[in-house]
């Protein structure tokens, strides 16, 4: 999950971001996997299982990872950090692993899936290793990639209290043109609270 130039820091437009060719291929490959995951997880939740095993997979290059000290140690949440830095960070409560400095964060995520396919957690959260916070600043290392009124905690709870999982889309792209629409909440704070099953609530006007 290094930048376009694998020798410098990476940047991306969302919690999970990737290049156009990889995004197109990933969409085709992951659709049946996602359907299978929902089919296998939902009976567990509906059956009253109190919690599912969650793993957070972080893609690291040179980000400040000190924020992890406030998150590790949570029940049923494991943390794995793949680092493409010259020196691998060792953090209490985090499984830190070295990875060759090639590709971007999508390379890290796919590496984890392929090498752990038969032992994946019930719920896996993929993220860049920057501290999760509001907003996306193009090229800025402080971009936390979270939409307004959304917390990182929201992503760590699969099917909270039996409800559907919360997954906030922050950008949409059209290919092959590469045109992208960004959700207002990732570039502007203080927007009215939204609710309901349709997201964004305003439809196309919410982007």
């Amino acid at each position: 999950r290094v930048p376009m130039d694998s020798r410098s820091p990476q940047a991306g437009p969302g919690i999970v971001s990737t290049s156009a060719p990889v995004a197109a291929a990933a969409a085709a490959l992951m659709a049946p996997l996602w359907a299978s995951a929902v089919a296998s997880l939902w009976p567990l939740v509906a059956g009253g299982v109190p919690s599912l095993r969650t793993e957070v997979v972080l893609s690291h290059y040179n980000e400040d990872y000190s924020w992890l000290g406030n998150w590790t140690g949570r029940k049923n949440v494991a943390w794995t950090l793949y680092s493409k830095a010259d020196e691998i960070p060792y953090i209490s409560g985090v499984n830190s692993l070295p990875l060759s400095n090639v590709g971007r964060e999508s390379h890290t995520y796919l590496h984890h899936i392929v090498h752990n396919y038969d032992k994946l957690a019930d719920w896996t959260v993929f993220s860049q290793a920057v501290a999760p916070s509001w907003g996306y600043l193009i090229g800025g290392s402080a971009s936390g990639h979270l939409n307004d009124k959304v917390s990182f905690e929201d992503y760590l709870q699969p099917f909270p209290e039996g409800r559907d999982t919360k997954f906030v889309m922050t950008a949409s792209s059209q290919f092959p043109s590469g045109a992208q629409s960004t959700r207002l909440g990732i570039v502007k704070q203080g927007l009215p609270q939204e609710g309901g099953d349709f997201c964004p609530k305003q439809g196309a006007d919410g982007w």
Side-chain angles (χ1 to χ4, degrees), residues 143-165:
S143 297
H145 300 124
L146 289 177
N147 196 73
D148 187 32
K149 297 183 175 65
V150 175
S151 72
F152 194 57
E153 183 74 37
D154 292 327
Y155 289 92
L156 303 184
Q157 303 179 59
F159 304 106
E161 299 179 359
R163 300 191 309 272
D164 197 4
T165 301

Side-chain angles (χ1 to χ4, degrees), residues 39-55:
S40 61
L41 285 174
W42 183 249
L44 295 176
V45 179
V49 176
S51 61
L52 297 172
R53 185 172 58 92
T54 298
E55 181 176 15

Side-chain angles (χ1 to χ4, degrees), residues 58-138:
L58 302 172
S59 179
H60 174 262
Y61 178 64
N62 67 351
E63 298 89 346
D64 179 1
Y65 50 82
S66 60
W67 62 275
L68 281 168
N70 297 322
W71 289 87
T72 56
R74 292 171 178 247
K75 184 179 180 181
N76 294 325
V77 179
W79 298 80
T80 298
L81 181 144
Y82 291 96
S83 181
K84 297 179 178 179
D86 294 333
E87 295 185 10
I88 308 304
Y90 291 96
I91 311 155
S92 177
V94 177
N95 181 24
S96 298
L97 301 170
L99 203 57
S100 298
N101 188 13
V102 295
R104 290 177 63 98
E105 66 270 27
S106 50
H107 164 264
T108 301
Y109 305 156
L110 186 58
H111 172 91
H112 178 82
I113 293 171
V114 170
H115 289 270
N116 297 276
Y117 189 80
D118 294 324
K119 55 180 179 179
L120 290 169
D122 299 316
W123 185 257
T124 303
V125 178
F126 296 96
S127 177
Q128 295 182 0
V130 65
S133 59
W134 169 81
Y136 174 61
L137 308 174
I138 298 177

